[in-house]
Amino acid sequence: MFTAGNYVVAKSLEEAYQLNQKKTAGILGGMLWMRTGKRRYSTLIDLSALGLDGIKETENELVIGAMVPLRELETNETLRTYYGDAFLEAVRHIVGTQFRHMATVGGSLFGRYGFSDVATIFLALDCTVELYHAGEVPIETFLAQKPDRDVLVAVHLKKTPCKVCYQSQRITETDFPVLTCAVSRQESGWVFAIGARPSIAKRIENTLPYAPTAEEIAAFVAHADETLSFDSNMRGSEEYRRHLTRVFVRRAIGQLMEETR
Ligand SMILES: Cc1cc2nc3c(=O)[nH]c(=O)nc-3n(C[C@H](O)[C@H](O)[C@H](O)COP(=O)(O)OP(=O)(O)OC[C@H]3O[C@@H](n4cnc5c(N)ncnc54)[C@H](O)[C@@H]3O)c2cc1C
């Protein structure tokens, strides 16, 4: 468990950002990952008074605040309207309901965890991450960067019409995933995000047309894993992850084509 010298409920994002510039300070999300470490923080910065715990709908976007708990991603009706069961499927295996009431979107993305279901689902969608200092950054760029001293404020999901399929493989229910796969199909094309490789989710480069032929699908699936790197760990070998990637990609293409038939 971590320890801390000071605890501050930030009154503004500017205050949170300034306090966080000290290397020994730390921003609090749901504290579930932080509490697994033994760090000594000089100041803990609480964002809970800044109104970041809601999902707001604007004309073109859904804006998900950094303090929104994973349970809200799972149950929110607006998300369900735009993305079907994709968010529910992405987070429902994470530990347990009480845990998902506490773990936050901000903490989940800022940590850039290799195993993250949360990073995988957002990476398949048209979205940006709003940082207090750096502004809005495409999710792909954000996930590839190392954590710095910025404050994650919100995720902006563009209301681009799309269908989404989420799959993960686990050795046992609620364990960390062996592989995660999120696929979205929008008019501009397909986006494939593969996570738990076991490193952080990445997109598969692709030029798959919106309505691919059987031959184009077969050719894409055969090489789906080749633009990404995979590794082995205690949960699965590199070869198993490559195999799962091809299986999940084929399944997702089939499912999403069926849904829009
Ligand atoms: C036992 C266990 C099992 C898990 N299994 C899974 C799983 O299967 N799939 C999955 O996807 N995830 C899993 N997770 C991760 C979990 O879902 C959360 O992603 C994780 O706990 C971080 O969220 P948090 O809100 O607790 O963040 P915290 O632990 O509070 O913070 C995490 C880090 O992010 C920083 N931070 C938090 N909020 C912000 C912000 N707004 N701006 C800047 N920095 C910020 C903190 O300073 C800290 O460095 C697991 C975690 C645990 C402990």
Side-chain angles (χ1 to χ4, degrees):
M1 185 71 181
F2 62 83
T3 54
N6 237 331
Y7 164 77
V8 178
V9 180
K11 291 182 200 65
S12 66
L13 283 167
E14 174 64 19
E15 185 187 9
Y17 176 77
Q18 291 303 341
L19 287 169
N20 198 38
Q21 294 320 293
K22 200 163 179 191
K23 273 192 181 157
T24 49
I27 292 187
L28 295 171
M31 272 190 286
L32 295 161
W33 193 257
M34 289 173 85
R35 67 193 302 171
T36 63
K38 290 192 175 145
R39 261 185 80 176
R40 165 86 188 154
Y41 292 94
S42 55
T43 303
L44 289 174
I45 306 154
D46 186 339
L47 305 181
S48 62
L50 300 178
L52 302 177
D53 57 348
I55 300 182
K56 293 179 195 128
E57 185 166 8
T58 68
E59 195 184 335
N60 302 315
E61 294 183 340
L62 301 179
V63 184
I64 303 178
M67 293 299 281
V68 165
L70 302 188
R71 179 69 177 163
E72 186 62 23
L73 297 185
E74 191 178 345
T75 55
N76 184 276
E77 282 306 322
T78 312
L79 287 178
R80 188 170 294 219
T81 303
Y82 286 95
Y83 305 104
D85 283 346
F87 276 101
L88 182 152
E89 191 53 41
V91 303
R92 74 184 175 93
H93 300 286
I94 301 175
V95 186
T97 309
Q98 290 95 331
F99 183 99
R100 297 193 297 276
H101 271 294
M102 294 188 286
T104 62
V105 169
S108 297
L109 291 176
F110 208 84
R112 280 101 163 166
Y113 308 111
F115 53 76
S116 181
D117 293 279
V118 182
T120 310
I121 181 74
F122 279 115
L123 187 59
L125 302 177
D126 187 4
C127 71
T128 56
V129 174
E130 180 186 342
L131 300 162
Y132 178 70
H133 183 68
E136 277 190 50
V137 178
I139 181 84
E140 198 175 7
T141 311
F142 172 80
L143 290 179
Q145 290 167 346
K146 290 218 165 80
D148 57 14
R149 310 300 310 166
D150 215 334
V151 181
L152 196 157
V153 180
V155 179
H156 293 248
L157 281 167
K158 315 295 167 202
K159 286 194 206 163
T160 315
C162 66
K163 294 278 180 194
V164 191
C165 171
Y166 190 87
Q167 301 161 86
S168 67
Q169 173 73 3
R170 286 170 153 82
I171 294 171
T172 58
E173 176 74 16
T174 77
D175 191 11
F176 290 108
V178 179
L179 195 90
T180 58
C181 170
V183 179
S184 73
R185 187 189 191 209
Q186 25 198 292
E187 261 182 32
S188 56
W190 299 77
V191 182
F192 297 88
I194 306 292
R197 302 172 299 111
S199 44
I200 187 80
K202 272 199 166 175
R203 288 183 181 161
I204 301 178
E205 281 174 33
N206 82 91
T207 51
L208 197 67
Y210 178 76
T213 61
E215 290 73 30
E216 285 168 330
I217 295 172
F220 179 66
V221 169
H223 300 288
D225 59 310
E226 284 182 2
T227 61
L228 297 179
S229 60
F230 293 84
D231 272 314
S232 304
N233 67 1
M234 62 184 287
R235 288 189 171 75
S237 66
E238 174 187 346
E239 189 42 48
Y240 183 44
R241 289 190 161 94
R242 288 190 183 281
H243 170 76
L244 286 173
T245 300
R246 293 189 289 267
V247 172
F248 283 173
V249 163
R250 174 179 287 285
R251 221 181 262 167
I253 295 173
Q255 183 184 315
L256 295 180
M257 288 188 67
E258 189 62 37
E259 279 180 25
T260 41
R261 198 179 284 277

